[in-house]
Amino acid sequence: MFNSDSGHQPARYALPAGAPPATPAAVPRTLALQFTGSGSEYFRIWIVNLLLTLVTLTLYAPFAKVRRLRWQYANTLVDGQPMGFHANPWSMLRGHLLILVFGGLYAVAGRFSVAAGTLASVALVALWPALWQASLRFRLANSSWRGVRLQFTGSLGQAYAALAPMLLPAAMTLVLLVYPQERGEPPPPWFLGLAPLLAVCMWPWISFRMKRYQHDHYHWAGQTTRLHAGAWAFYKVNIRAGLAAALPVLVVGLLAALAMGALAAGGLPGPGLEGKPVVYGLVLGSLALAYMMAAMVGQGALMVRLQNLVWGSTRSAALRFGSDLMLRPVLLQLLKNLLLSVLTLGLYWPFGWVRLTALRLAAVHIEADEDPANWLAGTAQGAGSAAGDAAGDLLDIDVGL
């Protein structure tokens, strides 16, 4: 029998002379995500950034963004290792100024003539995919984990292809709203109803194409992710979120109807709301409550289902992402954020953001075929355009985590 104290191996385990040393077998690992930032830390960053951005007429915005992201990334741990953000705020300031100039030209052009405003709109639509792709490249190239930069490998042509369905509604809007105004005519009545319907029907498909473009091109240490989900999965997520949002409307409406019925049974005279402050207040209060509850439940349901769908369907050759975010804690946190933000006139918002971010990141995990430290050799770094990153903020584009 093999004796571990003897320092000798039996003959059947001995390697032949000149053979390379045996490679240890790859051991699968689960990488947990964690957010360690506190609300008080973020509040100090948020309030200083807000005041300096206002005082400098938004010129401080790139520096505020870098300061916020460096703190956010440093408190985002993947397998116990913090992420890093390395962007130069002065590069982002040049991009920010470019976007301000472009936005100013767009605003001024519309005051001179409808044609000039239309031309500026066309230019904005034509440039948007390029700015979006540059924003993604810049953000990923300035993000790191374990000292290795991430990359975004999506091409410019793929960005235009992903956003191509948005060009149709944009072109219809320009043609059917702008040209009648130039002739002094109202827009076609049918278009006022068709445009929102078209946007609602197309949005899940557009959202799918945007997420697929993003999650098909995240790259780190030789691993490139792919999104394994179809457009119908995005439609189901949006339909279920819509149904969830409709539920509180039905409940509030039913309670309001019962209350008004009880008031009528108590001798409230005549139809109409004139001269009936109790009924008037009940109707307005019910509408406001239904709107807030529907917005909150719809936002929460969409957030939970979309995160679980997108990250649960993202994987590379040796990495598999997963997300098991639950709806109930998210809705409770959103309700708490809403109530305390109203009571504190918005000062609670940074605290609520930190709690919600920690909740969302804790639900994400990564399954790796082996220790990712084995993939760190031979990685490349890159940098994109700061103008694209500034445009991403202006147009409210999110890049993922």
Side-chain angles (χ1 to χ4, degrees), residues 213-288:
Y213 175 66
Q214 291 175 284
H215 286 248
D216 272 0
H217 299 100
Y218 292 147
H219 183 87
W220 181 84
Q223 296 292 317
T224 301
T225 62
R226 292 286 183 271
L227 180 66
H228 296 269
W232 176 236
F234 282 74
Y235 272 95
K236 288 194 290 186
V237 163
N238 282 269
I239 290 171
R240 290 172 178 170
L243 294 176
L247 182 61
V249 175
L250 294 176
V251 172
V252 173
L254 179 61
L255 293 177
L258 292 174
M260 294 182 70
L263 289 174
L268 195 67
L273 300 179
E274 296 79 5
K276 303 171 185 175
V278 175
V279 178
Y280 193 74
L282 184 60
V283 171
L284 286 183
S286 300
L287 290 174

Side-chain angles (χ1 to χ4, degrees), residues 6-85:
S6 66
H8 300 286
Q9 291 182 336
R12 64 178 183 275
Y13 294 126
L15 295 173
T23 303
V27 178
R29 294 196 54 199
T30 299
L31 315 179
L33 272 69
Q34 182 184 10
F35 189 71
T36 59
S38 69
S40 58
E41 290 174 344
Y42 185 46
F43 178 82
R44 290 193 290 271
I45 294 173
W46 173 77
I47 195 70
V48 171
N49 284 348
L50 179 63
L51 294 176
L52 289 179
T53 301
L54 292 175
V55 168
T56 61
L57 302 178
T58 77
L59 293 180
Y60 185 75
F63 299 88
K65 180 178 180 179
V66 169
R67 187 170 176 234
R68 173 177 59 82
L69 288 178
R70 283 178 179 170
W71 173 82
Q72 180 182 340
Y73 277 44
N75 285 284
T76 300
L77 307 185
V78 181
D79 195 33
Q81 301 289 326
M83 298 189 66
F85 188 68

Side-chain angles (χ1 to χ4, degrees), residues 95-170:
H96 183 69
L97 292 175
L98 177 64
I99 295 303
L100 286 180
V101 170
F102 188 83
L105 291 175
Y106 171 73
V108 171
R111 294 181 177 274
F112 282 100
S113 70
V114 176
T118 303
L119 185 61
S121 301
V122 171
L124 178 62
V125 171
L127 283 176
W128 187 36
L131 295 174
W132 182 43
Q133 186 253 2
S135 169
L136 291 168
R137 288 185 55 199
F138 182 83
R139 180 66 66 85
L140 270 292
N142 285 287
S143 302
S144 69
W145 183 59
R146 288 179 177 260
V148 176
R149 301 290 183 100
L150 283 74
Q151 289 179 292
F152 184 76
T153 60
S155 69
L156 184 60
Q158 290 168 328
Y160 274 92
L163 296 178
M166 296 182 66
L167 300 180
L168 175 61

Side-chain angles (χ1 to χ4, degrees), residues 267-398:
L268 195 67
L273 300 179
E274 296 79 5
K276 303 171 185 175
V278 175
V279 178
Y280 193 74
L282 184 60
V283 171
L284 286 183
S286 300
L287 290 174
L289 180 61
Y291 174 78
M292 287 191 296
M293 294 300 294
M296 189 187 66
V297 173
Q299 178 194 0
L302 190 60
M303 178 192 301
V304 169
R305 294 185 182 281
L306 199 57
Q307 173 172 318
N308 290 342
L309 169 65
V310 171
W311 286 109
S313 306
T314 299
R315 50 185 177 267
S316 69
L319 291 172
R320 291 167 299 283
F321 291 81
S323 174
D324 51 4
L325 187 61
M326 304 297 291
L327 180 58
R328 185 171 179 270
V330 169
L331 289 181
L332 291 176
Q333 188 60 52
L334 288 175
L335 180 61
K336 181 180 178 181
N337 292 353
L338 175 63
L339 295 176
L340 292 182
S341 294
V342 170
L343 292 176
T344 61
L345 302 178
L347 294 179
Y348 181 77
W349 185 85
F351 296 89
W353 182 88
V354 166
R355 291 180 181 276
L356 189 59
T357 300
L359 193 64
R360 297 185 65 183
L361 284 180
V364 179
H365 56 85
I366 308 170
E367 303 289 338
D369 288 349
E370 59 178 318
D371 190 340
N374 298 334
W375 309 331
L376 298 186
T379 56
Q381 299 182 3
S385 164
D389 196 66
D393 270 4
L394 182 69
L395 299 171
D396 196 24
I397 295 296
D398 182 39

